[in-house]
Amino acid sequence: MSKSLSDQLQNLGLVDKSKAKKAAHDKRVTKKKKAKSKIPDGPSTHELTAQAMAEAQVKKAEKDRAIEAQRKAKREQAERLAQARDIVKSNGTLAKGDDRKYRFTLDKKIKEFWVSNADFERLAKGLIGVVQMDKRWMLIDPEALIRVRERAPELASFLAAPEVADPDDPYADYQIPDDLDW
């Protein structure tokens, strides 16, 4: 069997017995100290916990801001809708009558409701408009209709554009019969 390095050095006379014992003792002591004080190479558990908590607080703050922004937008939309309803209630009248059906296109769909002959003429000329509230059509003046559209564009509304005569219209000289209904 081969001898240890310390035995070989003693036989050669390079190291005496006491120095070999001291070197072995120092080696054991440093090895124990190193084993006891295992210092991790990365950040400590406390630092990792603090960092995770800080990240969680930042995420929670962002989430809270997003939720508050949604609530604020919803509140503002409800306020605008309430303002539009007030405008319609104060400036509008219920479309009623059973003389004629007034038809118009809204979002690529044909809508219709019954009105009196006088209201039909005013609607056709663009002197009044209509707004749908609570599944009923309300007649409203154009200025109020514009204010309603500014506040609540989601409400169904219509205002006929006044007809402008085309100078190149070959049928301009011919009258359209009054009883023609489309």
Side-chain angles (χ1 to χ4, degrees):
M1 232 201 239
S2 67
K3 296 180 181 181
S4 68
L5 178 63
S6 64
D7 291 338
Q8 290 175 13
L9 290 173
Q10 282 177 7
N11 288 341
L12 292 173
L14 297 173
V15 178
D16 61 0
K17 208 174 202 182
S18 65
K19 284 186 179 178
K21 276 187 177 183
K22 178 148 178 60
H25 176 67
D26 290 341
K27 186 177 178 184
R28 271 194 325 272
V29 168
T30 56
K31 191 175 180 182
K32 276 189 175 184
K33 281 185 181 178
K34 208 176 203 183
K36 280 186 180 179
S37 67
K38 280 266 185 183
I39 299 173
D41 292 342
S44 69
T45 309
H46 179 65
E47 292 171 347
L48 289 174
T49 305
Q51 183 180 6
M53 287 177 62
E55 289 175 6
Q57 286 178 342
V58 168
K59 286 181 183 178
K60 185 179 182 317
E62 288 175 2
K63 184 179 175 184
D64 289 346
R65 278 193 293 273
I67 290 172
E68 184 59 32
Q70 286 177 344
R71 286 180 184 161
K72 183 179 179 182
K74 205 178 253 189
R75 221 176 308 125
E76 289 174 354
Q77 182 181 7
E79 288 174 7
R80 287 193 311 268
L81 186 60
Q83 290 172 355
R85 285 179 170 276
D86 290 342
I87 291 170
V88 171
K89 285 180 182 178
S90 63
N91 296 320
T93 59
L94 184 61
K96 55 186 170 184
D98 56 357
D99 298 336
R100 295 175 83 174
K101 270 190 183 179
Y102 184 72
R103 294 181 184 101
F104 61 96
T105 57
L106 184 67
D107 298 331
K108 299 181 182 179
K109 293 181 183 177
I110 296 176
K111 303 287 185 174
E112 63 183 22
F113 57 93
W114 288 93
V115 293
S116 65
N117 283 332
D119 288 339
F120 184 88
E121 294 299 322
R122 291 183 7 198
L123 282 167
K125 291 178 182 175
L127 299 176
I128 58 174
V130 291
V131 176
Q132 188 175 24
M133 260 185 40
D134 303 326
K135 298 183 181 180
R136 297 183 317 194
W137 291 100
M138 305 286 285
L139 301 175
I140 190 168
D141 61 288
E143 295 83 22
L145 180 65
I146 291 170
R147 291 192 322 228
V148 168
R149 283 182 178 171
E150 287 173 354
R151 287 169 177 78
E154 64 271 7
L155 287 178
S157 62
F158 177 76
L159 178 64
E163 292 184 20
V164 178
D166 185 14
D168 298 331
D169 187 13
Y171 299 104
D173 296 336
Y174 301 103
Q175 285 286 342
I176 297 175
D178 290 340
D179 61 347
L180 183 64
D181 195 11
W182 58 281

